[in-house]
């Protein structure tokens, strides 16, 4: 894994991608820091990080798009897949290399609360908690981008797909406001989610039996619960999807200045999920 990590990290700086990403993100962090904290006198650096979220959703697809898509297109993935390392080590090596690149502007941003402290009142605990949440959320976005890159040979498709998903996450609360809240609508929504999950399982594992078993079992549970107690599904879909509003969880750190351990656990759990899906996607290619 260490060799994969070193190879990938080196590639980001020999191709200028790493330099451009670091400069791009650092520049906008500096712009928001100048506007919010230095010029307008906000004591919380976390406000500046809130403004950078959309910029991050533009930069991360550029960072992740070539992670596996380029390997597939050039057929160099065959060298990796036949190397004496496991697929998990390959995925972790690539992922850690990308998070290392992302960590550079995050570490630079750690200087900003100290600059505020040197010039007046600062809330270091709240700011550094927000920086931690910012890093974990960015790491989650990287895991999502890497998973999408493992599904295609086109870097453009991987980048655009990642950007669309990250944009949807940014607009998650607004999207949920358009969803109906009735019990019937909620159960239909759960069925849609169930069959989407089964489709992803089939695409990743290429085993229709697993996908069919999950579909049958899930459908039976949903139908049984709906027939038994219909009111359980009143607003149930919206309530469930609200739990996955990763941007609102970050806003709890940045705007409300609350340390939410559940949000950090959700970020870490989602990261492991997308890393697992990426491993399964590569495993499927390895044996196909």
């Amino acid at each position: 894994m260490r060799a994969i990590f070193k190879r990938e990290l080196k590639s980001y700086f020999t191709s200028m991608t790493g330099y451009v990403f670091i400069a791009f993100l650092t520049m906008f962090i500096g712009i928001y820091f100048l506007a919010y904290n230095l010029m307008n006198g906000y004591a919380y650096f976390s406000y500046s990080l809130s403004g950078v979220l959309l910029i991050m959703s533009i930069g991360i697809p550029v960072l992740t798009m070539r992670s596996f898509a380029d390997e597939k297109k050039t057929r160099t993935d065959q060298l990796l897949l036949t190397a004496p390392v496991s697929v998990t080590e390959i995925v972790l090596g690539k992922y850690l290399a990308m998070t290392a690149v992302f960590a550079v502007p995050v570490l630079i941003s750690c200087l900003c609360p100290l600059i505020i402290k040197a010039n007046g009142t600062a809330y270091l605990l709240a700011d550094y908690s927000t920086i931690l949440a910012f890093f974990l959320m960015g790491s989650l976005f990287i895991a999502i981008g890497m998973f999408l890159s493992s599904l295609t040979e086109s870097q453009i498709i991987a980048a655009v797909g990642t950007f669309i998903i990250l944009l949807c996450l940014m607009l998650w609360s607004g999207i949920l406001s358009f969803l109906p809240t009735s019990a019937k609508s909620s159960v239909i929504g759960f069925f849609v989610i169930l069959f989407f999950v089964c489709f992803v399982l089939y695409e990743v594992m290429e085993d229709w039996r697993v996908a069919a078993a999950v579909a049958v079992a899930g459908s039976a549970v949903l139908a049984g619960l709906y027939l038994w107690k219909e009111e359980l599904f009143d607003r149930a879909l919206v309530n469930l999807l609200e739990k996955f509003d990763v941007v609102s969880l970050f806003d709890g750190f940045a705007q409300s200045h609350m340390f939410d351990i559940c949000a950090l656990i959700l970020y870490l759990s989602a990261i492991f999920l997308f890393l697992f899906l990426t491993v399964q996607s590569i495993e499927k290619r390895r044996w196909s």
Side-chain angles (χ1 to χ4, degrees):
M1 187 178 74
R2 182 179 300 178
I4 301 294
F5 171 77
K6 290 181 178 179
R7 169 184 176 269
E8 290 298 313
L9 189 61
K10 182 179 179 181
S11 70
Y12 280 110
F13 292 102
T14 55
S15 65
M16 296 297 294
T17 303
Y19 293 110
V20 171
F21 175 82
I22 291 170
F24 178 75
L25 196 56
T26 303
M27 179 184 69
F28 278 97
I29 290 174
I31 289 173
Y32 280 100
F33 175 62
L34 176 66
Y36 286 162
N37 301 112
L38 299 185
M39 295 183 65
N40 289 314
Y42 288 109
Y44 287 98
F45 173 64
S46 54
Y47 293 144
S48 299
L49 290 180
S50 294
V52 180
L53 291 183
L54 183 59
I55 305 301
M56 184 172 67
S57 69
I58 297 172
I60 282 183
V62 177
L63 181 67
T64 62
M65 65 182 185
R66 61 177 291 274
S67 55
F68 282 104
D70 187 53
E71 300 273 9
K72 285 185 176 182
K73 185 176 181 180
T74 59
R75 296 297 185 266
T76 55
D77 61 328
Q78 301 301 323
L79 296 176
L80 282 177
L81 296 178
T82 55
V85 291
S86 66
V87 173
T88 301
E89 290 176 322
I90 294 173
V91 171
L92 287 178
K94 286 177 171 287
Y95 176 73
L96 292 176
M98 288 184 284
T99 54
V101 175
F102 175 62
V104 175
V106 174
L107 289 174
I108 293 174
S109 71
C110 290
L111 298 173
C112 295
L114 299 178
I115 295 173
I116 298 172
K117 179 68 174 177
N119 292 275
T121 303
Y123 301 93
L124 298 182
L125 185 60
D127 285 339
Y128 286 117
S129 297
T130 305
I131 291 174
L132 174 62
F134 181 79
F135 175 73
L136 289 179
M137 185 170 64
S139 299
L140 170 58
F141 290 171
I142 290 173
I144 293 172
M146 186 175 68
F147 170 62
L148 291 181
S149 181
S150 72
L151 298 176
T152 179
E153 294 183 357
S154 172
Q155 295 186 45
I156 301 300
I157 293 175
V160 172
T162 303
F163 174 73
I164 290 174
I165 289 180
L166 298 188
L167 184 62
C168 288
L169 291 177
M170 297 292 172
L171 303 174
W172 193 255
S173 59
I175 294 173
L176 294 184
S177 66
F178 290 100
L179 293 180
T181 58
S182 66
K184 184 179 293 186
S185 300
S186 292
V187 77
I188 291 173
F190 280 121
F191 273 109
V192 171
I193 293 174
L194 172 64
F195 288 113
F196 175 75
V197 169
C198 293
F199 172 76
V200 172
L201 283 175
Y202 176 75
E203 286 295 313
V204 170
M205 303 179 68
E206 216 169 49
D207 189 338
W208 65 268
R209 291 168 297 184
V210 174
V214 173
V216 171
S219 299
V221 171
L222 287 175
L225 287 174
Y226 183 75
L227 294 174
W228 173 59
K229 203 169 185 179
E230 180 179 338
E231 57 268 23
L232 284 176
F233 289 91
D234 286 331
R235 197 180 164 76
L237 179 63
V238 174
N239 289 338
L240 175 65
L241 294 179
E242 283 177 347
K243 305 296 183 183
F244 299 95
D245 190 352
V246 296
V247 175
S248 292
L249 293 174
F250 174 76
D251 288 339
F253 286 87
Q255 306 295 335
S256 303
H257 316 298
M258 293 171 26
F259 188 84
D260 187 355
I261 189 66
C262 293
L264 301 183
I265 293 173
L266 176 63
Y267 289 146
L268 291 172
S269 301
I271 288 170
F272 286 128
L273 171 63
F274 280 100
L275 290 179
F276 171 76
L277 291 175
T278 304
V279 169
Q280 297 305 312
S281 175
I282 302 303
E283 285 282 8
K284 182 188 75 172
R285 180 173 175 82
R286 189 175 199 172
W287 299 109
S288 63

